[in-house]
CSV table of all heavy atoms in Angstrom, one decimal:
chain,number,residue,atom,x,y,z
A,171,ARG,N,3.9,3.2,12.2
A,171,ARG,CA,4.0,1.7,12.2
A,171,ARG,C,2.7,1.1,11.6
A,171,ARG,O,2.7,0.1,10.8
A,171,ARG,CB,4.2,1.1,13.6
A,171,ARG,CG,4.3,-0.4,13.7
A,171,ARG,CD,5.6,-0.9,13.0
A,171,ARG,NE,5.8,-2.3,13.2
A,171,ARG,CZ,6.2,-3.2,12.3
A,171,ARG,NH1,6.3,-2.7,11.0
A,171,ARG,NH2,6.4,-4.4,12.6
A,172,PHE,N,1.5,1.6,12.0
A,172,PHE,CA,0.3,1.2,11.5
A,172,PHE,C,0.3,1.2,10.0
A,172,PHE,O,-0.1,0.3,9.3
A,172,PHE,CB,-0.8,2.0,12.1
A,172,PHE,CG,-2.2,1.8,11.4
A,172,PHE,CD1,-2.9,0.7,11.6
A,172,PHE,CD2,-2.7,2.8,10.6
A,172,PHE,CE1,-4.2,0.5,11.0
A,172,PHE,CE2,-3.9,2.7,9.9
A,172,PHE,CZ,-4.7,1.5,10.1
A,173,HIS,N,0.7,2.4,9.4
A,173,HIS,CA,0.6,2.5,8.0
A,173,HIS,C,1.7,1.7,7.3
A,173,HIS,O,1.6,1.6,6.0
A,173,HIS,CB,0.7,4.0,7.6
A,173,HIS,CG,-0.5,4.8,7.9
A,173,HIS,ND1,-0.7,5.4,9.2
A,173,HIS,CD2,-1.7,5.0,7.3
A,173,HIS,CE1,-1.9,6.0,9.2
A,173,HIS,NE2,-2.5,5.7,8.1
A,174,SER,N,2.6,1.2,7.9
A,174,SER,CA,3.7,0.5,7.3
A,174,SER,C,3.4,-1.0,7.2
A,174,SER,O,4.1,-1.8,6.5
A,174,SER,CB,5.0,0.6,8.1
A,174,SER,OG,5.0,-0.1,9.3
A,175,VAL,N,2.3,-1.5,7.9
A,175,VAL,CA,2.0,-2.9,7.9
A,175,VAL,C,0.6,-3.2,7.3
A,175,VAL,O,-0.1,-4.2,7.6
A,175,VAL,CB,2.1,-3.5,9.3
A,175,VAL,CG1,3.5,-3.5,9.8
A,175,VAL,CG2,1.2,-2.8,10.3
A,176,LEU,N,0.1,-2.3,6.4
A,176,LEU,CA,-1.1,-2.5,5.7
A,176,LEU,C,-1.0,-3.2,4.4
A,176,LEU,O,0.0,-3.1,3.7
A,176,LEU,CB,-1.9,-1.2,5.5
A,176,LEU,CG,-2.1,-0.4,6.8
A,176,LEU,CD1,-2.9,0.9,6.5
A,176,LEU,CD2,-2.9,-1.2,7.8
A,177,HIS,N,-2.0,-3.9,4.0
A,177,HIS,CA,-2.1,-4.6,2.7
A,177,HIS,C,-3.4,-4.4,2.1
A,177,HIS,O,-4.4,-4.4,2.7
A,177,HIS,CB,-1.8,-6.1,2.9
A,177,HIS,CG,-2.1,-7.0,1.8
A,177,HIS,ND1,-1.2,-7.0,0.7
A,177,HIS,CD2,-3.1,-7.8,1.4
A,177,HIS,CE1,-1.7,-7.8,-0.3
A,177,HIS,NE2,-2.8,-8.3,0.2
A,178,LYS,N,-3.4,-4.1,0.8
A,178,LYS,CA,-4.6,-3.9,0.0
A,178,LYS,C,-4.9,-5.1,-0.9
A,178,LYS,O,-4.1,-5.5,-1.6
A,178,LYS,CB,-4.6,-2.6,-0.8
A,178,LYS,CG,-5.9,-2.3,-1.5
A,178,LYS,CD,-5.7,-1.1,-2.5
A,178,LYS,CE,-5.2,-1.7,-3.8
A,178,LYS,NZ,-5.4,-0.7,-5.0
A,179,ARG,N,-6.2,-5.6,-0.8
A,179,ARG,CA,-6.6,-6.6,-1.7
A,179,ARG,C,-7.8,-6.2,-2.4
A,179,ARG,O,-8.6,-5.4,-1.9
A,179,ARG,CB,-6.8,-7.9,-1.0
A,179,ARG,CG,-7.9,-8.0,0.0
A,179,ARG,CD,-8.2,-9.4,0.6
A,179,ARG,NE,-7.3,-9.7,1.6
A,179,ARG,CZ,-7.4,-10.8,2.4
A,179,ARG,NH1,-8.4,-11.6,2.2
A,179,ARG,NH2,-6.6,-11.0,3.4
A,180,THR,N,-8.0,-6.6,-3.6
A,180,THR,CA,-9.2,-6.2,-4.5
A,180,THR,C,-10.0,-7.4,-4.8
A,180,THR,O,-9.4,-8.5,-5.2
A,180,THR,CB,-8.7,-5.5,-5.8
A,180,THR,OG1,-7.9,-4.4,-5.4
A,180,THR,CG2,-9.9,-5.0,-6.6
A,181,VAL,N,-11.3,-7.3,-4.7
A,181,VAL,CA,-12.2,-8.4,-5.1
A,181,VAL,C,-13.1,-7.8,-6.2
A,181,VAL,O,-13.5,-6.6,-6.1
A,181,VAL,CB,-13.0,-9.0,-4.0
A,181,VAL,CG1,-12.1,-9.7,-3.0
A,181,VAL,CG2,-13.8,-7.9,-3.2
A,182,MET,N,-13.6,-8.6,-7.1
A,182,MET,CA,-14.2,-8.0,-8.3
A,182,MET,C,-15.7,-8.2,-8.4
A,182,MET,O,-16.4,-7.7,-9.3
A,182,MET,CB,-13.6,-8.6,-9.6
A,182,MET,CG,-12.1,-8.3,-9.8
A,182,MET,SD,-11.8,-6.5,-9.7
A,182,MET,CE,-12.7,-5.9,-11.1
A,183,SER,N,-16.3,-8.9,-7.3
A,183,SER,CA,-17.8,-9.1,-7.4
A,183,SER,C,-18.3,-8.9,-6.0
A,183,SER,O,-17.6,-9.0,-5.0
A,183,SER,CB,-18.1,-10.4,-7.9
A,183,SER,OG,-17.8,-11.5,-7.0
A,184,ALA,N,-19.6,-8.6,-6.0
A,184,ALA,CA,-20.3,-8.4,-4.7
A,184,ALA,C,-20.3,-9.7,-3.8
A,184,ALA,O,-20.1,-9.6,-2.6
A,184,ALA,CB,-21.7,-7.9,-4.9
A,185,SER,N,-20.5,-10.8,-4.5
A,185,SER,CA,-20.5,-12.1,-3.8
A,185,SER,C,-19.1,-12.4,-3.2
A,185,SER,O,-19.0,-12.8,-2.0
A,185,SER,CB,-21.0,-13.2,-4.7
A,185,SER,OG,-20.1,-13.3,-5.8
A,186,SER,N,-18.1,-12.1,-3.9
A,186,SER,CA,-16.8,-12.3,-3.4
A,186,SER,C,-16.4,-11.4,-2.3
A,186,SER,O,-15.8,-11.7,-1.3
A,186,SER,CB,-15.7,-12.1,-4.5
A,186,SER,OG,-15.9,-13.1,-5.6
A,187,LEU,N,-16.9,-10.1,-2.4
A,187,LEU,CA,-16.8,-9.2,-1.3
A,187,LEU,C,-17.3,-9.7,0.0
A,187,LEU,O,-16.7,-9.6,1.0
A,187,LEU,CB,-17.4,-7.8,-1.7
A,187,LEU,CG,-17.5,-6.8,-0.6
A,187,LEU,CD1,-16.1,-6.2,-0.3
A,187,LEU,CD2,-18.4,-5.6,-1.0
A,188,ARG,N,-18.6,-10.2,-0.1
A,188,ARG,CA,-19.3,-10.6,1.1
A,188,ARG,C,-18.5,-11.8,1.7
A,188,ARG,O,-18.3,-11.9,3.0
A,188,ARG,CB,-20.7,-11.0,0.8
A,188,ARG,CG,-21.6,-9.8,0.5
A,188,ARG,CD,-23.1,-10.2,0.4
A,188,ARG,NE,-23.4,-10.8,-0.8
A,188,ARG,CZ,-23.7,-10.2,-2.0
A,188,ARG,NH1,-23.8,-8.9,-1.9
A,188,ARG,NH2,-24.0,-10.8,-3.0
A,189,GLU,N,-18.0,-12.7,0.9
A,189,GLU,CA,-17.2,-13.8,1.4
A,189,GLU,C,-15.9,-13.3,2.1
A,189,GLU,O,-15.5,-13.8,3.2
A,189,GLU,CB,-16.8,-14.8,0.3
A,189,GLU,CG,-18.0,-15.6,-0.3
A,189,GLU,CD,-17.6,-16.4,-1.5
A,189,GLU,OE1,-16.4,-16.5,-1.7
A,189,GLU,OE2,-18.5,-16.9,-2.1
A,190,GLU,N,-15.2,-12.4,1.4
A,190,GLU,CA,-14.0,-11.9,2.0
A,190,GLU,C,-14.2,-11.1,3.3
A,190,GLU,O,-13.4,-11.2,4.3
A,190,GLU,CB,-13.3,-10.9,1.0
A,190,GLU,CG,-12.6,-11.7,-0.2
A,190,GLU,CD,-11.4,-12.4,0.3
A,190,GLU,OE1,-10.6,-11.9,1.1
A,190,GLU,OE2,-11.2,-13.6,-0.2
A,191,VAL,N,-15.2,-10.3,3.3
A,191,VAL,CA,-15.5,-9.5,4.5
A,191,VAL,C,-15.8,-10.5,5.7
A,191,VAL,O,-15.4,-10.3,6.8
A,191,VAL,CB,-16.7,-8.5,4.3
A,191,VAL,CG1,-17.2,-7.9,5.6
A,191,VAL,CG2,-16.3,-7.4,3.4
A,192,LEU,N,-16.6,-11.5,5.4
A,192,LEU,CA,-16.9,-12.6,6.4
A,192,LEU,C,-15.6,-13.2,6.9
A,192,LEU,O,-15.4,-13.4,8.1
A,192,LEU,CB,-17.9,-13.5,5.9
A,192,LEU,CG,-18.6,-14.5,6.9
A,192,LEU,CD1,-19.5,-13.6,7.8
A,192,LEU,CD2,-19.5,-15.5,6.1
Side-chain angles (χ1 to χ4, degrees):
R171 181 70 172 133
F172 167 73
H173 288 92
S174 72
V175 292
L176 299 182
H177 171 71
K178 185 189 87 166
R179 66 173 80 170
T180 303
V181 294
M182 298 308 297
S183 70
S185 59
S186 298
L187 171 70
R188 289 189 284 271
E189 288 175 12
E190 284 291 322
V191 169
L192 196 62

